[in-house]
Structures are given as structure tokens and as C-alpha cells.
mmCIF file with all atom_site columns, all heavy atoms in Angstrom:
data_model
loop_
_atom_site.group_PDB
_atom_site.id
_atom_site.type_symbol
_atom_site.label_atom_id
_atom_site.label_alt_id
_atom_site.label_comp_id
_atom_site.label_asym_id
_atom_site.label_entity_id
_atom_site.label_seq_id
_atom_site.pdbx_PDB_ins_code
_atom_site.Cartn_x
_atom_site.Cartn_y
_atom_site.Cartn_z
_atom_site.occupancy
_atom_site.B_iso_or_equiv
_atom_site.pdbx_formal_charge
_atom_site.auth_seq_id
_atom_site.auth_comp_id
_atom_site.auth_asym_id
_atom_site.auth_atom_id
_atom_site.pdbx_PDB_model_num
ATOM 1   N N   . LYS A 1 1  ? 73.620 0.123   237.959 1.00 76.00 ? 1  LYS A N   1
ATOM 2   C CA  . LYS A 1 1  ? 73.642 -1.322  238.156 1.00 76.00 ? 1  LYS A CA  1
ATOM 3   C C   . LYS A 1 1  ? 74.845 -1.917  237.417 1.00 76.00 ? 1  LYS A C   1
ATOM 4   O O   . LYS A 1 1  ? 74.983 -1.739  236.211 1.00 76.00 ? 1  LYS A O   1
ATOM 5   C CB  . LYS A 1 1  ? 72.355 -1.967  237.626 1.00 76.00 ? 1  LYS A CB  1
ATOM 6   C CG  . LYS A 1 1  ? 71.070 -1.417  238.253 1.00 76.00 ? 1  LYS A CG  1
ATOM 7   C CD  . LYS A 1 1  ? 70.958 -1.754  239.731 1.00 76.00 ? 1  LYS A CD  1
ATOM 8   C CE  . LYS A 1 1  ? 69.627 -1.256  240.294 1.00 76.00 ? 1  LYS A CE  1
ATOM 9   N NZ  . LYS A 1 1  ? 69.506 -1.545  241.738 1.00 76.00 ? 1  LYS A NZ  1
ATOM 10  N N   . ILE A 1 2  ? 75.688 -2.607  238.166 1.00 72.00 ? 2  ILE A N   1
ATOM 11  C CA  . ILE A 1 2  ? 76.837 -3.295  237.580 1.00 72.00 ? 2  ILE A CA  1
ATOM 12  C C   . ILE A 1 2  ? 76.611 -4.792  237.763 1.00 72.00 ? 2  ILE A C   1
ATOM 13  O O   . ILE A 1 2  ? 76.440 -5.251  238.895 1.00 72.00 ? 2  ILE A O   1
ATOM 14  C CB  . ILE A 1 2  ? 78.149 -2.864  238.257 1.00 72.00 ? 2  ILE A CB  1
ATOM 15  C CG1 . ILE A 1 2  ? 78.307 -1.329  238.188 1.00 72.00 ? 2  ILE A CG1 1
ATOM 16  C CG2 . ILE A 1 2  ? 79.348 -3.554  237.611 1.00 72.00 ? 2  ILE A CG2 1
ATOM 17  C CD1 . ILE A 1 2  ? 79.503 -0.802  238.924 1.00 72.00 ? 2  ILE A CD1 1
ATOM 18  N N   . PRO A 1 3  ? 76.577 -5.555  236.686 1.00 71.00 ? 3  PRO A N   1
ATOM 19  C CA  . PRO A 1 3  ? 76.317 -6.996  236.807 1.00 71.00 ? 3  PRO A CA  1
ATOM 20  C C   . PRO A 1 3  ? 77.273 -7.676  237.772 1.00 71.00 ? 3  PRO A C   1
ATOM 21  O O   . PRO A 1 3  ? 78.464 -7.360  237.800 1.00 71.00 ? 3  PRO A O   1
ATOM 22  C CB  . PRO A 1 3  ? 76.506 -7.506  235.371 1.00 71.00 ? 3  PRO A CB  1
ATOM 23  C CG  . PRO A 1 3  ? 76.285 -6.303  234.507 1.00 71.00 ? 3  PRO A CG  1
ATOM 24  C CD  . PRO A 1 3  ? 76.771 -5.128  235.290 1.00 71.00 ? 3  PRO A CD  1
ATOM 25  N N   . THR A 1 4  ? 76.731 -8.588  238.574 1.00 65.00 ? 4  THR A N   1
ATOM 26  C CA  . THR A 1 4  ? 77.458 -9.406  239.558 1.00 65.00 ? 4  THR A CA  1
ATOM 27  C C   . THR A 1 4  ? 77.991 -8.604  240.734 1.00 65.00 ? 4  THR A C   1
ATOM 28  O O   . THR A 1 4  ? 78.693 -9.148  241.587 1.00 65.00 ? 4  THR A O   1
ATOM 29  C CB  . THR A 1 4  ? 78.643 -10.167 238.909 1.00 65.00 ? 4  THR A CB  1
ATOM 30  O OG1 . THR A 1 4  ? 79.683 -9.231  238.585 1.00 65.00 ? 4  THR A OG1 1
ATOM 31  C CG2 . THR A 1 4  ? 78.203 -10.919 237.662 1.00 65.00 ? 4  THR A CG2 1
ATOM 32  N N   . LEU A 1 5  ? 77.678 -7.302  240.800 1.00 67.00 ? 5  LEU A N   1
ATOM 33  C CA  . LEU A 1 5  ? 78.136 -6.480  241.920 1.00 67.00 ? 5  LEU A CA  1
ATOM 34  C C   . LEU A 1 5  ? 76.954 -5.966  242.711 1.00 67.00 ? 5  LEU A C   1
ATOM 35  O O   . LEU A 1 5  ? 75.872 -5.727  242.159 1.00 67.00 ? 5  LEU A O   1
ATOM 36  C CB  . LEU A 1 5  ? 78.956 -5.293  241.414 1.00 67.00 ? 5  LEU A CB  1
ATOM 37  C CG  . LEU A 1 5  ? 80.330 -5.597  240.800 1.00 67.00 ? 5  LEU A CG  1
ATOM 38  C CD1 . LEU A 1 5  ? 80.986 -4.293  240.365 1.00 67.00 ? 5  LEU A CD1 1
ATOM 39  C CD2 . LEU A 1 5  ? 81.209 -6.338  241.789 1.00 67.00 ? 5  LEU A CD2 1
ATOM 40  N N   . PRO A 1 6  ? 77.122 -5.760  244.032 1.00 68.00 ? 6  PRO A N   1
ATOM 41  C CA  . PRO A 1 6  ? 76.044 -5.154  244.813 1.00 68.00 ? 6  PRO A CA  1
ATOM 42  C C   . PRO A 1 6  ? 75.840 -3.715  244.376 1.00 68.00 ? 6  PRO A C   1
ATOM 43  O O   . PRO A 1 6  ? 76.770 -3.081  243.848 1.00 68.00 ? 6  PRO A O   1
ATOM 44  C CB  . PRO A 1 6  ? 76.573 -5.234  246.259 1.00 68.00 ? 6  PRO A CB  1
ATOM 45  C CG  . PRO A 1 6  ? 78.054 -5.305  246.121 1.00 68.00 ? 6  PRO A CG  1
ATOM 46  C CD  . PRO A 1 6  ? 78.303 -6.059  244.848 1.00 68.00 ? 6  PRO A CD  1
ATOM 47  N N   . PRO A 1 7  ? 74.659 -3.160  244.562 1.00 74.00 ? 7  PRO A N   1
ATOM 48  C CA  . PRO A 1 7  ? 74.418 -1.769  244.153 1.00 74.00 ? 7  PRO A CA  1
ATOM 49  C C   . PRO A 1 7  ? 75.279 -0.799  244.948 1.00 74.00 ? 7  PRO A C   1
ATOM 50  O O   . PRO A 1 7  ? 75.600 -1.042  246.116 1.00 74.00 ? 7  PRO A O   1
ATOM 51  C CB  . PRO A 1 7  ? 72.923 -1.577  244.455 1.00 74.00 ? 7  PRO A CB  1
ATOM 52  C CG  . PRO A 1 7  ? 72.607 -2.599  245.501 1.00 74.00 ? 7  PRO A CG  1
ATOM 53  C CD  . PRO A 1 7  ? 73.481 -3.778  245.188 1.00 74.00 ? 7  PRO A CD  1
ATOM 54  N N   . LEU A 1 8  ? 75.653 0.307   244.318 1.00 79.00 ? 8  LEU A N   1
ATOM 55  C CA  . LEU A 1 8  ? 76.401 1.339   245.021 1.00 79.00 ? 8  LEU A CA  1
ATOM 56  C C   . LEU A 1 8  ? 75.514 1.956   246.100 1.00 79.00 ? 8  LEU A C   1
ATOM 57  O O   . LEU A 1 8  ? 74.320 2.123   245.904 1.00 79.00 ? 8  LEU A O   1
ATOM 58  C CB  . LEU A 1 8  ? 76.860 2.422   244.043 1.00 79.00 ? 8  LEU A CB  1
ATOM 59  C CG  . LEU A 1 8  ? 77.923 2.002   243.016 1.00 79.00 ? 8  LEU A CG  1
ATOM 60  C CD1 . LEU A 1 8  ? 78.194 3.145   242.050 1.00 79.00 ? 8  LEU A CD1 1
ATOM 61  C CD2 . LEU A 1 8  ? 79.212 1.580   243.712 1.00 79.00 ? 8  LEU A CD2 1
ATOM 62  N N   . PRO A 1 9  ? 76.068 2.310   247.253 1.00 84.00 ? 9  PRO A N   1
ATOM 63  C CA  . PRO A 1 9  ? 75.250 2.864   248.340 1.00 84.00 ? 9  PRO A CA  1
ATOM 64  C C   . PRO A 1 9  ? 74.662 4.216   247.962 1.00 84.00 ? 9  PRO A C   1
ATOM 65  O O   . PRO A 1 9  ? 75.404 5.106   247.515 1.00 84.00 ? 9  PRO A O   1
ATOM 66  C CB  . PRO A 1 9  ? 76.244 2.985   249.507 1.00 84.00 ? 9  PRO A CB  1
ATOM 67  C CG  . PRO A 1 9  ? 77.594 3.000   248.863 1.00 84.00 ? 9  PRO A CG  1
ATOM 68  C CD  . PRO A 1 9  ? 77.487 2.178   247.623 1.00 84.00 ? 9  PRO A CD  1
ATOM 69  N N   . PRO A 1 10 ? 73.343 4.413   248.137 1.00 88.00 ? 10 PRO A N   1
ATOM 70  C CA  . PRO A 1 10 ? 72.726 5.706   247.807 1.00 88.00 ? 10 PRO A CA  1
ATOM 71  C C   . PRO A 1 10 ? 73.327 6.871   248.574 1.00 88.00 ? 10 PRO A C   1
ATOM 72  O O   . PRO A 1 10 ? 73.299 8.013   248.094 1.00 88.00 ? 10 PRO A O   1
ATOM 73  C CB  . PRO A 1 10 ? 71.256 5.493   248.189 1.00 88.00 ? 10 PRO A CB  1
ATOM 74  C CG  . PRO A 1 10 ? 71.051 4.018   248.129 1.00 88.00 ? 10 PRO A CG  1
ATOM 75  C CD  . PRO A 1 10 ? 72.349 3.416   248.562 1.00 88.00 ? 10 PRO A CD  1
ATOM 76  N N   . LEU A 1 11 ? 73.877 6.610   249.766 1.00 87.00 ? 11 LEU A N   1
ATOM 77  C CA  . LEU A 1 11 ? 74.459 7.684   250.561 1.00 87.00 ? 11 LEU A CA  1
ATOM 78  C C   . LEU A 1 11 ? 75.578 8.402   249.808 1.00 87.00 ? 11 LEU A C   1
ATOM 79  O O   . LEU A 1 11 ? 75.865 9.576   250.075 1.00 87.00 ? 11 LEU A O   1
ATOM 80  C CB  . LEU A 1 11 ? 74.969 7.135   251.892 1.00 87.00 ? 11 LEU A CB  1
ATOM 81  C CG  . LEU A 1 11 ? 75.998 5.994   251.863 1.00 87.00 ? 11 LEU A CG  1
ATOM 82  C CD1 . LEU A 1 11 ? 77.418 6.506   251.773 1.00 87.00 ? 11 LEU A CD1 1
ATOM 83  C CD2 . LEU A 1 11 ? 75.814 5.111   253.083 1.00 87.00 ? 11 LEU A CD2 1
ATOM 84  N N   . LEU A 1 12 ? 76.211 7.718   248.858 1.00 88.00 ? 12 LEU A N   1
ATOM 85  C CA  . LEU A 1 12 ? 77.257 8.351   248.064 1.00 88.00 ? 12 LEU A CA  1
ATOM 86  C C   . LEU A 1 12 ? 76.676 9.484   247.222 1.00 88.00 ? 12 LEU A C   1
ATOM 87  O O   . LEU A 1 12 ? 77.255 10.575  247.127 1.00 88.00 ? 12 LEU A O   1
ATOM 88  C CB  . LEU A 1 12 ? 77.926 7.308   247.175 1.00 88.00 ? 12 LEU A CB  1
ATOM 89  C CG  . LEU A 1 12 ? 79.121 7.778   246.344 1.00 88.00 ? 12 LEU A CG  1
ATOM 90  C CD1 . LEU A 1 12 ? 80.262 8.212   247.252 1.00 88.00 ? 12 LEU A CD1 1
ATOM 91  C CD2 . LEU A 1 12 ? 79.581 6.684   245.390 1.00 88.00 ? 12 LEU A CD2 1
ATOM 92  N N   . GLY A 1 13 ? 75.509 9.239   246.622 1.00 90.00 ? 13 GLY A N   1
ATOM 93  C CA  . GLY A 1 13 ? 74.844 10.280  245.848 1.00 90.00 ? 13 GLY A CA  1
ATOM 94  C C   . GLY A 1 13 ? 74.398 11.440  246.713 1.00 90.00 ? 13 GLY A C   1
ATOM 95  O O   . GLY A 1 13 ? 74.448 12.609  246.288 1.00 90.00 ? 13 GLY A O   1
ATOM 96  N N   . MET A 1 14 ? 73.935 11.134  247.926 1.00 92.00 ? 14 MET A N   1
ATOM 97  C CA  . MET A 1 14 ? 73.516 12.193  248.850 1.00 92.00 ? 14 MET A CA  1
ATOM 98  C C   . MET A 1 14 ? 74.700 13.082  249.222 1.00 92.00 ? 14 MET A C   1
ATOM 99  O O   . MET A 1 14 ? 74.582 14.309  249.286 1.00 92.00 ? 14 MET A O   1
ATOM 100 C CB  . MET A 1 14 ? 72.911 11.570  250.111 1.00 92.00 ? 14 MET A CB  1
ATOM 101 C CG  . MET A 1 14 ? 71.700 10.692  249.853 1.00 92.00 ? 14 MET A CG  1
ATOM 102 S SD  . MET A 1 14 ? 71.194 9.817   251.351 1.00 92.00 ? 14 MET A SD  1
ATOM 103 C CE  . MET A 1 14 ? 69.906 8.735   250.671 1.00 92.00 ? 14 MET A CE  1
ATOM 104 N N   . LEU A 1 15 ? 75.846 12.453  249.473 1.00 90.00 ? 15 LEU A N   1
ATOM 105 C CA  . LEU A 1 15 ? 77.053 13.204  249.835 1.00 90.00 ? 15 LEU A CA  1
ATOM 106 C C   . LEU A 1 15 ? 77.503 14.104  248.688 1.00 90.00 ? 15 LEU A C   1
ATOM 107 O O   . LEU A 1 15 ? 77.814 15.285  248.891 1.00 90.00 ? 15 LEU A O   1
ATOM 108 C CB  . LEU A 1 15 ? 78.157 12.216  250.199 1.00 90.00 ? 15 LEU A CB  1
ATOM 109 C CG  . LEU A 1 15 ? 79.435 12.777  250.801 1.00 90.00 ? 15 LEU A CG  1
ATOM 110 C CD1 . LEU A 1 15 ? 79.203 13.170  252.254 1.00 90.00 ? 15 LEU A CD1 1
ATOM 111 C CD2 . LEU A 1 15 ? 80.563 11.756  250.716 1.00 90.00 ? 15 LEU A CD2 1
ATOM 112 N N   . ILE A 1 16 ? 77.508 13.553  247.487 1.00 91.00 ? 16 ILE A N   1
ATOM 113 C CA  . ILE A 1 16 ? 77.940 14.325  246.318 1.00 91.00 ? 16 ILE A CA  1
ATOM 114 C C   . ILE A 1 16 ? 76.974 15.467  246.033 1.00 91.00 ? 16 ILE A C   1
ATOM 115 O O   . ILE A 1 16 ? 77.385 16.570  245.645 1.00 91.00 ? 16 ILE A O   1
ATOM 116 C CB  . ILE A 1 16 ? 78.077 13.399  245.090 1.00 91.00 ? 16 ILE A CB  1
ATOM 117 C CG1 . ILE A 1 16 ? 79.208 12.393  245.330 1.00 91.00 ? 16 ILE A CG1 1
ATOM 118 C CG2 . ILE A 1 16 ? 78.346 14.203  243.833 1.00 91.00 ? 16 ILE A CG2 1
ATOM 119 C CD1 . ILE A 1 16 ? 79.334 11.345  244.242 1.00 91.00 ? 16 ILE A CD1 1
ATOM 120 N N   . ALA A 1 17 ? 75.673 15.228  246.242 1.00 93.00 ? 17 ALA A N   1
ATOM 121 C CA  . ALA A 1 17 ? 74.671 16.287  246.010 1.00 93.00 ? 17 ALA A CA  1
ATOM 122 C C   . ALA A 1 17 ? 74.940 17.488  246.914 1.00 93.00 ? 17 ALA A C   1
ATOM 123 O O   . ALA A 1 17 ? 74.921 18.641  246.471 1.00 93.00 ? 17 ALA A O   1
ATOM 124 C CB  . ALA A 1 17 ? 73.270 15.733  246.250 1.00 93.00 ? 17 ALA A CB  1
ATOM 125 N N   . GLY A 1 18 ? 75.188 17.219  248.198 1.00 91.00 ? 18 GLY A N   1
ATOM 126 C CA  . GLY A 1 18 ? 75.506 18.322  249.113 1.00 91.00 ? 18 GLY A CA  1
ATOM 127 C C   . GLY A 1 18 ? 76.785 19.029  248.737 1.00 91.00 ? 18 GLY A C   1
ATOM 128 O O   . GLY A 1 18 ? 76.888 20.266  248.813 1.00 91.00 ? 18 GLY A O   1
ATOM 129 N N   . PHE A 1 19 ? 77.790 18.266  248.302 1.00 91.00 ? 19 PHE A N   1
ATOM 130 C CA  . PHE A 1 19 ? 79.063 18.853  247.892 1.00 91.00 ? 19 PHE A CA  1
ATOM 131 C C   . PHE A 1 19 ? 78.888 19.762  246.676 1.00 91.00 ? 19 PHE A C   1
ATOM 132 O O   . PHE A 1 19 ? 79.445 20.868  246.614 1.00 91.00 ? 19 PHE A O   1
ATOM 133 C CB  . PHE A 1 19 ? 80.055 17.730  247.578 1.00 91.00 ? 19 PHE A CB  1
ATOM 134 C CG  . PHE A 1 19 ? 81.396 18.198  247.105 1.00 91.00 ? 19 PHE A CG  1
ATOM 135 C CD1 . PHE A 1 19 ? 82.317 18.725  247.986 1.00 91.00 ? 19 PHE A CD1 1
ATOM 136 C CD2 . PHE A 1 19 ? 81.725 18.121  245.756 1.00 91.00 ? 19 PHE A CD2 1
ATOM 137 C CE1 . PHE A 1 19 ? 83.562 19.158  247.541 1.00 91.00 ? 19 PHE A CE1 1
ATOM 138 C CE2 . PHE A 1 19 ? 82.961 18.545  245.301 1.00 91.00 ? 19 PHE A CE2 1
ATOM 139 C CZ  . PHE A 1 19 ? 83.882 19.069  246.199 1.00 91.00 ? 19 PHE A CZ  1
ATOM 140 N N   . LEU A 1 20 ? 78.085 19.327  245.705 1.00 92.00 ? 20 LEU A N   1
ATOM 141 C CA  . LEU A 1 20 ? 77.853 20.142  244.501 1.00 92.00 ? 20 LEU A CA  1
ATOM 142 C C   . LEU A 1 20 ? 77.087 21.416  244.837 1.00 92.00 ? 20 LEU A C   1
ATOM 143 O O   . LEU A 1 20 ? 77.377 22.491  244.291 1.00 92.00 ? 20 LEU A O   1
ATOM 144 C CB  . LEU A 1 20 ? 77.096 19.316  243.456 1.00 92.00 ? 20 LEU A CB  1
ATOM 145 C CG  . LEU A 1 20 ? 77.865 18.160  242.829 1.00 92.00 ? 20 LEU A CG  1
ATOM 146 C CD1 . LEU A 1 20 ? 76.968 17.366  241.888 1.00 92.00 ? 20 LEU A CD1 1
ATOM 147 C CD2 . LEU A 1 20 ? 79.102 18.662  242.085 1.00 92.00 ? 20 LEU A CD2 1
ATOM 148 N N   . ILE A 1 21 ? 76.098 21.302  245.719 1.00 92.00 ? 21 ILE A N   1
ATOM 149 C CA  . ILE A 1 21 ? 75.330 22.489  246.106 1.00 92.00 ? 21 ILE A CA  1
ATOM 150 C C   . ILE A 1 21 ? 76.251 23.543  246.713 1.00 92.00 ? 21 ILE A C   1
ATOM 151 O O   . ILE A 1 21 ? 76.105 24.743  246.455 1.00 92.00 ? 21 ILE A O   1
ATOM 152 C CB  . ILE A 1 21 ? 74.213 22.090  247.098 1.00 92.00 ? 21 ILE A CB  1
ATOM 153 C CG1 . ILE A 1 21 ? 73.093 21.370  246.342 1.00 92.00 ? 21 ILE A CG1 1
ATOM 154 C CG2 . ILE A 1 21 ? 73.663 23.317  247.823 1.00 92.00 ? 21 ILE A CG2 1
ATOM 155 C CD1 . ILE A 1 21 ? 71.997 20.844  247.245 1.00 92.00 ? 21 ILE A CD1 1
ATOM 156 N N   . ARG A 1 22 ? 77.207 23.097  247.516 1.00 89.00 ? 22 ARG A N   1
ATOM 157 C CA  . ARG A 1 22 ? 78.117 24.043  248.166 1.00 89.00 ? 22 ARG A CA  1
ATOM 158 C C   . ARG A 1 22 ? 79.109 24.663  247.186 1.00 89.00 ? 22 ARG A C   1
ATOM 159 O O   . ARG A 1 22 ? 79.548 25.819  247.386 1.00 89.00 ? 22 ARG A O   1
ATOM 160 C CB  . ARG A 1 22 ? 78.880 23.326  249.285 1.00 89.00 ? 22 ARG A CB  1
ATOM 161 C CG  . ARG A 1 22 ? 79.945 24.178  249.981 1.00 89.00 ? 22 ARG A CG  1
ATOM 162 C CD  . ARG A 1 22 ? 79.301 25.371  250.693 1.00 89.00 ? 22 ARG A CD  1
ATOM 163 N NE  . ARG A 1 22 ? 80.290 26.239  251.278 1.00 89.00 ? 22 ARG A NE  1
ATOM 164 C CZ  . ARG A 1 22 ? 80.811 26.084  252.492 1.00 89.00 ? 22 ARG A CZ  1
ATOM 165 N NH1 . ARG A 1 22 ? 80.419 25.056  253.244 1.00 89.00 ? 22 ARG A NH1 1
ATOM 166 N NH2 . ARG A 1 22 ? 81.684 26.930  252.967 1.00 89.00 ? 22 ARG A NH2 1
ATOM 167 N N   . ASN A 1 23 ? 79.462 23.963  246.118 1.00 90.00 ? 23 ASN A N   1
ATOM 168 C CA  . ASN A 1 23 ? 80.574 24.395  245.276 1.00 90.00 ? 23 ASN A CA  1
ATOM 169 C C   . ASN A 1 23 ? 80.177 24.862  243.884 1.00 90.00 ? 23 ASN A C   1
ATOM 170 O O   . ASN A 1 23 ? 81.054 25.168  243.075 1.00 90.00 ? 23 ASN A O   1
ATOM 171 C CB  . ASN A 1 23 ? 81.597 23.260  245.178 1.00 90.00 ? 23 ASN A CB  1
ATOM 172 C CG  . ASN A 1 23 ? 82.297 22.999  246.502 1.00 90.00 ? 23 ASN A CG  1
ATOM 173 O OD1 . ASN A 1 23 ? 83.197 23.723  246.892 1.00 90.00 ? 23 ASN A OD1 1
ATOM 174 N ND2 . ASN A 1 23 ? 81.848 21.967  247.208 1.00 90.00 ? 23 ASN A ND2 1
ATOM 175 N N   . ILE A 1 24 ? 78.871 24.909  243.556 1.00 89.00 ? 24 ILE A N   1
ATOM 176 C CA  . ILE A 1 24 ? 78.418 25.529  242.308 1.00 89.00 ? 24 ILE A CA  1
ATOM 177 C C   . ILE A 1 24 ? 78.066 26.978  242.617 1.00 89.00 ? 24 ILE A C   1
ATOM 178 O O   . ILE A 1 24 ? 77.159 27.240  243.421 1.00 89.00 ? 24 ILE A O   1
ATOM 179 C CB  . ILE A 1 24 ? 77.209 24.774  241.723 1.00 89.00 ? 24 ILE A CB  1
ATOM 180 C CG1 . ILE A 1 24 ? 77.603 23.336  241.361 1.00 89.00 ? 24 ILE A CG1 1
ATOM 181 C CG2 . ILE A 1 24 ? 76.677 25.496  240.492 1.00 89.00 ? 24 ILE A CG2 1
ATOM 182 C CD1 . ILE A 1 24 ? 76.463 22.496  240.849 1.00 89.00 ? 24 ILE A CD1 1
ATOM 183 N N   . PRO A 1 25 ? 78.766 27.948  242.026 1.00 86.00 ? 25 PRO A N   1
ATOM 184 C CA  . PRO A 1 25 ? 78.674 29.351  242.459 1.00 86.00 ? 25 PRO A CA  1
ATOM 185 C C   . PRO A 1 25 ? 77.259 29.896  242.625 1.00 86.00 ? 25 PRO A C   1
ATOM 186 O O   . PRO A 1 25 ? 76.910 30.386  243.696 1.00 86.00 ? 25 PRO A O   1
ATOM 187 C CB  . PRO A 1 25 ? 79.440 30.099  241.358 1.00 86.00 ? 25 PRO A CB  1
ATOM 188 C CG  . PRO A 1 25 ? 80.424 29.095  240.854 1.00 86.00 ? 25 PRO A CG  1
ATOM 189 C CD  . PRO A 1 25 ? 79.728 27.773  240.942 1.00 86.00 ? 25 PRO A CD  1
ATOM 190 N N   . TRP A 1 26 ? 76.433 29.837  241.592 1.00 85.00 ? 26 TRP A N   1
ATOM 191 C CA  . TRP A 1 26 ? 75.107 30.455  241.697 1.00 85.00 ? 26 TRP A CA  1
ATOM 192 C C   . TRP A 1 26 ? 74.223 29.693  242.686 1.00 85.00 ? 26 TRP A C   1
ATOM 193 O O   . TRP A 1 26 ? 73.464 30.301  243.449 1.00 85.00 ? 26 TRP A O   1
ATOM 194 C CB  . TRP A 1 26 ? 74.425 30.491  240.326 1.00 85.00 ? 26 TRP A CB  1
ATOM 195 C CG  . TRP A 1 26 ? 73.071 31.137  240.359 1.00 85.00 ? 26 TRP A CG  1
ATOM 196 C CD1 . TRP A 1 26 ? 72.796 32.477  240.302 1.00 85.00 ? 26 TRP A CD1 1
ATOM 197 C CD2 . TRP A 1 26 ? 71.805 30.480  240.483 1.00 85.00 ? 26 TRP A CD2 1
ATOM 198 N NE1 . TRP A 1 26 ? 71.444 32.702  240.378 1.00 85.00 ? 26 TRP A NE1 1
ATOM 199 C CE2 . TRP A 1 26 ? 70.800 31.491  240.487 1.00 85.00 ? 26 TRP A CE2 1
ATOM 200 C CE3 . TRP A 1 26 ? 71.412 29.155  240.583 1.00 85.00 ? 26 TRP A CE3 1
ATOM 201 C CZ2 . TRP A 1 26 ? 69.455 31.198  240.594 1.00 85.00 ? 26 TRP A CZ2 1
ATOM 202 C CZ3 . TRP A 1 26 ? 70.063 28.862  240.694 1.00 85.00 ? 26 TRP A CZ3 1
ATOM 203 C CH2 . TRP A 1 26 ? 69.099 29.873  240.698 1.00 85.00 ? 26 TRP A CH2 1
ATOM 204 N N   . VAL A 1 27 ? 74.332 28.391  242.680 1.00 86.00 ? 27 VAL A N   1
ATOM 205 C CA  . VAL A 1 27 ? 73.494 27.571  243.554 1.00 86.00 ? 27 VAL A CA  1
ATOM 206 C C   . VAL A 1 27 ? 73.799 27.824  245.017 1.00 86.00 ? 27 VAL A C   1
ATOM 207 O O   . VAL A 1 27 ? 72.891 27.953  245.852 1.00 86.00 ? 27 VAL A O   1
ATOM 208 C CB  . VAL A 1 27 ? 73.674 26.065  243.224 1.00 86.00 ? 27 VAL A CB  1
ATOM 209 C CG1 . VAL A 1 27 ? 72.889 25.195  244.203 1.00 86.00 ? 27 VAL A CG1 1
ATOM 210 C CG2 . VAL A 1 27 ? 73.232 25.787  241.801 1.00 86.00 ? 27 VAL A CG2 1
ATOM 211 N N   . THR A 1 28 ? 75.074 27.905  245.370 1.00 84.00 ? 28 THR A N   1
ATOM 212 C CA  . THR A 1 28 ? 75.440 28.078  246.771 1.00 84.00 ? 28 THR A CA  1
ATOM 213 C C   . THR A 1 28 ? 74.955 29.404  247.338 1.00 84.00 ? 28 THR A C   1
ATOM 214 O O   . THR A 1 28 ? 74.762 29.547  248.555 1.00 84.00 ? 28 THR A O   1
ATOM 215 C CB  . THR A 1 28 ? 76.971 27.955  246.945 1.00 84.00 ? 28 THR A CB  1
ATOM 216 O OG1 . THR A 1 28 ? 77.282 27.891  248.330 1.00 84.00 ? 28 THR A OG1 1
ATOM 217 C CG2 . THR A 1 28 ? 77.685 29.152  246.326 1.00 84.00 ? 28 THR A CG2 1
ATOM 218 N N   . GLU A 1 29 ? 74.733 30.396  246.469 1.00 85.00 ? 29 GLU A N   1
ATOM 219 C CA  . GLU A 1 29 ? 74.196 31.683  246.935 1.00 85.00 ? 29 GLU A CA  1
ATOM 220 C C   . GLU A 1 29 ? 72.714 31.590  247.265 1.00 85.00 ? 29 GLU A C   1
ATOM 221 O O   . GLU A 1 29 ? 72.202 32.358  248.083 1.00 85.00 ? 29 GLU A O   1
ATOM 222 C CB  . GLU A 1 29 ? 74.421 32.750  245.867 1.00 85.00 ? 29 GLU A CB  1
ATOM 223 C CG  . GLU A 1 29 ? 75.900 33.061  245.612 1.00 85.00 ? 29 GLU A CG  1
ATOM 224 C CD  . GLU A 1 29 ? 76.084 34.030  244.462 1.00 85.00 ? 29 GLU A CD  1
ATOM 225 O OE1 . GLU A 1 29 ? 75.046 34.461  243.893 1.00 85.00 ? 29 GLU A OE1 1
ATOM 226 O OE2 . GLU A 1 29 ? 77.232 34.348  244.125 1.00 85.00 ? 29 GLU A OE2 1
#
């Protein structure tokens, strides 16, 4: 939450989560 700003879109977190799953060595296996 940033005062006076709209909330960041949750889809950004979803995108980053998928990206991390693909690029963390043990997890991607």
C-alpha cells in the first residue's frame, strides 16, 4: 500500500511467481 496511490495490480505478483518458479534451479525441477 502506497499512500495516495492506487494498489499495485495483483497480476504482477502472479507473473513474478511463475517467473521465479521457472528460474529457481531446484524448484523448476
